[in-house]
Amino acid sequence: MADTLEESEPLLSRARGGSGRDCPRGVLTCSSVQESPGSGPVQSRSGAPAHQAAGSTPGQGHRPGAAARRDLCLDQAVVLIEDAIQYRSINHRMDARSLWLYRWYYSSSSQWILSFTIFLILALAFVETPSSLTRTSDVRYRPAPWEPPCGLTEGVEALCLLVFVADVSVKSYLIGWAQFRRNPWLLAYLVVLVASLLDWTVSLSLVCQEPLRVRRLLRPFFLMQNSSMMKKTLKCIRRSLPEMASVGLLLAVHLCLFTVFGMLLFTGEKDAGQDRERLTYFFNLPEALTTLLVLLTTANNPDVMIPVYSRNRAYAIFFIAFTLIGSLFLMNLMTAIIYNQFRGYLMGCWPHSHHWPLLCPTSSRGNRKETEAPGAVTTPPTPHMSLQTSLLRRRLGTRAAYEVLSSVTAEGEAHPKRLGVKPEDFLQVLQKVQLDSDHKQAITEKLHSRGDGLLSTDEFQKLFYEFDKRVIKEHPPRPEYQSPFLRSTQFLFGHHYFDYLGNLMALGNLVTICVFLVLDAHVLPKDRDDFVLGILNCIFILYYLLEMLLKVFSLGLQGYLSYSSNVFDGLLTIVLLVLEISTLAEYGFPHRGWKPATLGLLSLWDMTRLVNVLIVFRFLRIIPSMQLMSLVASTILDLIKNMRAFGGILVVIYYVFAIIGISLFQGVIVAPRNSSLASVNGSAPCGSFEQLEYWPNNFDDFAAALVTLWDVMIVNNWQVFLDAFRRYAGPWSEVYFVLWWLVSSVIWVNLFLALILENFLHKWDRRSHLQSFTQELEDTSEMTQELPFRDVLEEPTEEELVEKLSRHPHLQLCR
């Protein structure tokens, strides 16, 4: 692709003199948009080149040049505002055709196609050879799986790769070749695509009989490059590696020293217990190192200590000291370091030097001096990730939109007295922006409330503060009844105390289910008499139905449906009612000796279990009513909403390790020859892979590999896996499992714990501080994730915005 032409002047030139068009300083001219390389002059909406459109007349069949420039400016403002809403970079082409392509690329349909393509190419691992399409992964019972014919999955993969080729082509065109060359992720994207296509060609040339498919290891990259948050999270993890490596080095020294101590302590031949310890756990250096590594996770505690401890209690000091230093101190120190490094993740503050605290202490640059030690050489914290970077992108996008729209105002006046944006131009742009109607209405109302006149920079920016809020829809008014009795009934059943009564009934229903589960624990399902439980379920379900109808009466149907908790209750109540009616129609009313019998699709016991499961699930309605529980629940919900980046990284590491595990260990776990397996299990050592019947844990297909990696990540009995694969595959296999433990259990699990602490502590500490603030907003909006951290986020200064905009590669400001 030809290199993009560089602009002769920056977007926001700070030069006070010079030649050029005579226009207000700081006004963006839309006609100065760079032309697309190799495509000739930029076309106006009429289809004519921009310079021709400028000189054409309506009588010639073309729109006037001023009108074409105005339309282009409005389209640019629309795209810039959408970039601000979605926290996207604004450094992309801004000509008319590129804007159309840009909006099409970021449309919901295009992004859905791209996301589905990524999902599809990752899901191919379940179907490709070795296929996971079997009922069980147990090597003793697993039938021969169906294997797709050569070319089937390869054809699907080829379609996916073509979509990715189109994706990288559109991205490279929109940002320009100069920006593309400086983007390492897009360069890596291109390299991965070329490598995947070459490997795909080799696979077809060998008729799908190649021993290794390298492209399977590269597929997770498509997931990472499509998520900006995953890229930022990986960058944050990379910056945390030095601190984690220091603790890892301490762990390695600790492990090596105690390994040597153990070899020296347990080499005696005189004591039977001591010799048993040596032969079982400290036979040689690699065996001793593995034993203590597993003990670091406490998976084999106290098994490893018992042989010598039963002979001499003094030996317990060795194992207690090892566990105290390694597991309780160093491993928790690793958690603390990861939490410390990710503590500023949401706020975007990164400790660039040890003089700076890990949290940004103030929200303004002028107050930073108060936190510096006298004479200390400090480096300001670099804005990093998430909210700080997102805030900068949002302000940059809205400021660029202001500059574009202000140029429309300036060009419409011969001698503009001051810069600004016409409200009607802004409303015209707002109607084209892809934004929900609630936010559009809130911004429009805020605009109408300010009066007439041009919008200044600050006023324009403040309009977009509405993006930081989630608009709360006002609940419909309650129905008005004329009868005093109906009004009293409406007040009674519309009061929040009625919700407390419903929670109490739900708790009572749950208690009755638990009581019957305890009483019937030793009774077979076919012998159970469900008469009492059936009567109670009927009573509770009738109450739930009555509660729903009374709430509809009090709030009105629309008012009832405006509460998400009511929708949750109502749906479950309807399902419970349908199940109960089906049960009564099939088995009759409850009576003495009402025992299960299969008369329809489900037995009475299955129907009862399904009803009870839904009743237990309905009990979750009590959570919002409990203050502390609601705080914990909201923390969990926020984590779920914002865990896509971390969940994506977990998917990536699982995918890569599963593919590597299949390449290394496929077929090494062999089923025992004895079909009855009784003698095999009886002769196997207690606690071994064979005796515990861990046969489904293998790497014979992708699905089985994922489950095996999960079992090892939990680290419960993971020494069994180490021992089994060492015997079946060789001692080198331990390196694979230790690396997986380090990546998954040490790094990712601790990272997840750090995020939970970060989220919960901020909600807890700022709860009272933000209470008055939220009360001011509750009439029209509620806080999003950004607002609780607004006091520690730094608003970008005018100089920062001007500096960023001045380096825009595809727009130019007249001098």
Side-chain angles (χ1 to χ4, degrees):
M1 184 180 293
D3 193 4
T4 305
L5 300 176
E6 297 294 337
E7 300 292 349
S8 59
E9 293 294 335
L11 175 65
L12 292 172
S13 176
R14 284 171 289 185
R16 295 186 178 273
S19 60
R21 285 184 54 192
D22 185 14
C23 57
R25 177 174 174 267
V27 179
L28 182 65
T29 56
C30 304
S31 60
S32 63
V33 177
Q34 269 191 353
E35 298 176 356
S36 303
S39 61
V42 177
Q43 301 282 331
S44 68
R45 288 199 168 212
S46 64
H51 67 280
Q52 294 180 10
S56 62
T57 63
Q60 295 174 322
H62 298 289
R63 300 182 65 181
R69 286 196 299 271
R70 172 184 169 82
D71 289 341
L72 179 59
C73 284
L74 295 181
D75 290 343
Q76 289 174 351
V78 169
V79 171
L80 290 169
I81 291 175
E82 289 178 349
D83 288 341
I85 295 172
Q86 301 297 331
Y87 304 107
R88 295 194 296 252
S89 172
I90 64 172
N91 294 327
H92 51 78
R93 298 186 188 276
M94 302 297 291
D95 59 272
R97 286 182 300 178
S98 298
L99 290 178
W100 176 87
L101 180 61
Y102 186 84
R103 294 198 76 191
W104 174 85
Y105 176 79
Y106 281 108
S107 64
S108 57
S109 57
S110 298
Q111 292 302 305
W112 184 90
I113 292 174
L114 182 59
S115 300
F116 178 76
T117 304
I118 295 173
F119 167 79
L120 187 60
I121 198 171
L122 292 177
L124 286 178
F126 292 98
V127 183
E128 292 174 327
T129 305
S131 173
S132 302
L133 303 179
T134 55
R135 183 179 60 86
T136 178
S137 63
D138 195 317
V139 295
R140 300 170 297 176
Y141 315 120
R142 182 183 58 206
W146 174 82
E147 301 294 349
C150 182
L152 178 61
T153 57
E154 286 74 15
V156 176
E157 187 176 13
L159 293 177
C160 295
L161 293 177
L162 288 177
V163 173
F164 295 139
V165 169
D167 178 52
V168 72
S169 301
V170 172
K171 283 183 177 178
S172 61
Y173 170 77
L174 289 175
I175 68 173
W177 179 244
Q179 296 290 323
F180 181 84
R181 289 182 302 174
R182 293 194 291 268
N183 193 316
W185 279 98
L186 288 181
L187 292 176
Y189 196 2
L190 187 61
V191 172
V192 168
L193 275 176
V194 171
S196 298
L197 290 171
L198 290 176
D199 189 65
W200 181 86
T201 306
V202 171
S203 180
L204 283 187
S205 64
L206 296 178
V207 198
C208 306
Q209 298 300 320
E210 73 281 10
L212 178 65
R213 279 168 284 184
V214 179
R215 64 185 184 277
R216 297 182 73 182
L217 287 172
L218 302 178
R219 288 174 185 170
F221 178 84
F222 300 128
L223 177 63
M224 289 190 296
Q225 66 82 28
N226 195 48
S227 171
S228 60
M229 283 302 298
M230 286 184 63
K231 298 174 187 176
K232 294 175 182 179
T233 305
L234 287 174
K235 186 177 181 180
C236 198
I237 292 176
R238 180 176 59 82
R239 293 191 177 189
S240 303
L241 287 178
E243 288 78 9
M244 289 189 284
S246 62
V247 181
L249 182 60
L250 285 176
L251 277 172
V253 172
H254 167 71
L255 195 61
C256 292
L257 288 178
F258 273 84
T259 299
V260 175
F261 291 156
M263 293 290 293
L264 295 175
L265 286 174
F266 308 124
T267 55
E269 299 287 345
K270 297 180 180 180
D271 190 279
Q274 193 174 6
D275 188 50
R276 179 186 167 194
E277 182 80 18
R278 179 184 68 84
L279 294 176
T280 306
Y281 301 109
F282 292 88
F283 182 72
N284 52 40
L285 191 62
E287 184 76 25
L289 192 63
T290 303
T291 297
L292 292 183
L293 179 63
V294 175
L295 183 60
L296 196 64
T297 64
T298 68
N300 58 354
N301 184 70
D303 299 351
V304 66
M305 182 182 69
I306 291 300
V308 291
Y309 178 66
S310 60
R311 297 290 178 177
N312 190 335
R313 68 179 68 210
Y315 281 112
I317 299 175
F318 171 84
F319 297 100
I320 292 175
F322 176 82
T323 304
L324 186 66
I325 297 174
S327 301
L328 301 182
F329 181 71
L330 293 179
M331 292 298 291
N332 287 325
L333 182 61
M334 177 75 76
T335 303
I337 284 180
I338 293 178
Y339 170 66
N340 231 9
Q341 292 299 320
F342 275 83
R343 202 174 162 201
Y345 179 82
L346 291 176
M347 280 72 71
C349 305
W350 189 262
H352 208 68
S353 72
H354 66 278
H355 297 286
W356 275 94
L358 292 171
L359 283 176
C360 292
T362 61
S363 59
S364 62
R365 299 176 186 272
N367 294 334
R368 281 181 177 172
K369 295 180 180 181
E370 299 175 4
T371 63
E372 300 176 5
V377 180
T378 60
T379 304
T382 304
H384 182 66
M385 294 194 189
S386 198
L387 298 187
Q388 188 65 51
T389 303
S390 299
L391 180 64
L392 177 61
R393 284 190 171 187
R394 174 161 287 184
R395 298 295 181 257
L396 194 63
T398 53
R399 176 57 189 273
Y402 171 82
E403 296 293 338
V404 170
L405 290 177
S406 64
S407 71
V408 176
T409 304
E411 290 184 359
E413 301 179 10
H415 301 286
K417 298 180 180 180
R418 67 185 185 94
L419 297 179
V421 174
K422 294 180 180 179
E424 55 269 23
D425 291 340
F426 175 73
L427 288 176
Q428 186 177 352
V429 168
L430 188 63
Q431 295 305 316
K432 297 181 180 180
V433 173
Q434 295 181 359
L435 183 64
D436 60 275
S437 58
D438 295 328
H439 278 97
K440 283 186 179 180
Q441 182 179 358
I443 295 175
T444 304
E445 291 176 355
K446 191 171 183 179
L447 178 64
H448 290 325
S449 64
R450 59 169 294 276
D452 299 328
L454 297 179
L455 292 170
S456 66
T457 306
D458 293 336
E459 291 175 331
F460 188 86
Q461 195 71 263
K462 288 179 180 179
L463 289 176
F464 293 96
Y465 287 169
E466 299 296 324
F467 291 152
D468 298 330
K469 308 170 186 176
R470 283 196 302 266
V471 177
I472 296 180
K473 297 180 180 180
E474 294 184 0
H475 299 292
R478 297 187 178 189
E480 297 181 0
Y481 298 104
Q482 301 299 326
S483 171
F485 173 76
L486 293 180
R487 288 199 298 268
S488 301
T489 306
Q490 181 186 30
F491 173 79
L492 179 64
F493 295 110
H495 201 275
H496 62 272
Y497 284 156
F498 187 61
D499 291 332
Y500 295 158
L501 177 61
N503 293 336
L504 185 62
M505 293 294 291
L507 178 60
N509 198 353
L510 181 63
V511 170
T512 58
I513 293 174
C514 295
V515 168
F516 279 95
L517 287 176
V518 172
L519 295 178
D520 295 338
H522 301 290
V523 181
L524 295 177
K526 64 179 182 178
D527 298 328
R528 293 183 179 179
D529 187 351
D530 292 326
F531 167 66
V532 179
L533 184 59
I535 291 293
L536 290 176
N537 280 345
C538 287
I539 294 174
F540 281 113
I541 291 175
L542 287 176
Y543 172 80
Y544 298 152
L545 177 62
L546 180 63
E547 180 188 28
M548 181 182 69
L549 295 177
L550 289 174
K551 284 187 175 182
V552 171
F553 165 79
S554 302
L555 303 174
L557 181 59
Q558 293 183 350
Y560 179 84
L561 296 177
S562 65
Y563 293 90
S564 57
S565 58
N566 289 342
V567 175
F568 175 79
D569 286 347
L571 287 177
L572 283 180
T573 299
I574 293 174
V575 173
L576 286 171
L577 183 63
V578 171
L579 286 174
E580 189 65 21
I581 293 174
S582 302
T583 303
L584 296 179
E586 192 72 33
Y587 298 99
F589 287 93
H591 55 272
R592 291 290 180 183
W594 203 47
K595 296 182 179 180
T598 304
L599 299 180
L601 182 62
L602 296 175
S603 67
L604 178 59
W605 171 241
D606 293 331
M607 297 285 284
T608 305
R609 283 195 302 171
L610 184 56
V611 168
N612 290 337
V613 166
L614 292 176
I615 289 173
V616 173
F617 186 65
R618 190 181 183 277
F619 180 72
L620 295 177
R621 60 169 284 172
I622 201 174
I623 291 179
S625 303
M626 302 182 66
Q627 192 173 17
L628 181 58
M629 189 182 296
S630 62
L631 177 63
V632 176
S634 63
T635 302
I636 296 175
L637 290 177
D638 284 344
L639 284 173
I640 294 175
K641 294 176 183 178
N642 299 289
M643 274 294 292
R644 286 181 296 178
F646 302 98
I649 291 177
L650 184 63
V651 169
V652 168
I653 62 175
Y654 260 95
Y655 201 99
V656 171
F657 271 87
I659 296 298
I660 295 175
I662 292 173
S663 303
L664 296 176
F665 307 119
Q666 182 184 356
V668 299
I669 301 296
V670 183
R673 297 179 181 178
N674 190 341
S675 58
S676 66
L677 304 178
S679 60
V680 175
N681 291 337
S683 59
C686 183
S688 64
F689 188 89
E690 296 79 4
Q691 189 271 331
L692 294 172
E693 298 188 351
Y694 280 4
W695 302 107
N697 292 290
N698 53 67
F699 290 89
D700 291 351
D701 58 71
F702 188 74
L706 293 178
V707 177
T708 303
L709 291 174
W710 171 265
D711 292 337
V712 176
M713 188 181 77
I714 303 301
V715 300
N716 184 39
N717 269 2
W718 75 298
Q719 74 276 7
V720 176
F721 296 90
L722 291 175
D723 174 70
F725 282 90
R726 181 176 64 244
R727 289 187 284 108
Y728 284 104
W732 53 268
S733 62
E734 292 183 349
V735 177
Y736 171 85
F737 289 100
V738 171
L739 285 177
W740 170 247
W741 168 73
L742 287 173
V743 172
S744 63
S745 185
V746 175
I747 296 179
W748 194 90
V749 172
N750 282 323
L751 174 60
F752 183 67
L753 178 60
L755 291 173
I756 292 177
L757 291 173
E758 170 77 358
N759 200 312
F760 181 80
L761 289 178
H762 272 285
K763 282 182 175 292
W764 183 267
D765 293 341
R766 301 179 184 274
R767 194 174 187 182
S768 58
H769 172 69
L770 293 170
Q771 187 174 4
S772 58
F773 178 63
T774 56
Q775 288 175 352
E776 297 174 1
L777 298 173
E778 64 182 0
D779 55 337
T780 58
S781 62
E782 63 179 357
M783 290 189 304
T784 59
Q785 184 187 2
E786 292 89 345
L787 287 181
F789 305 103
R790 182 54 50 85
D791 58 336
V792 294
L793 288 178
E794 295 183 0
E795 284 286 342
T797 62
E798 181 72 12
E799 291 75 13
E800 277 183 302
L801 296 177
V802 170
E803 175 64 24
K804 293 286 185 181
L805 290 175
S806 66
R807 288 182 287 178
H808 196 291
H810 303 291
L811 281 176
Q812 168 182 347
L813 200 73
C814 53
R815 302 169 58 191

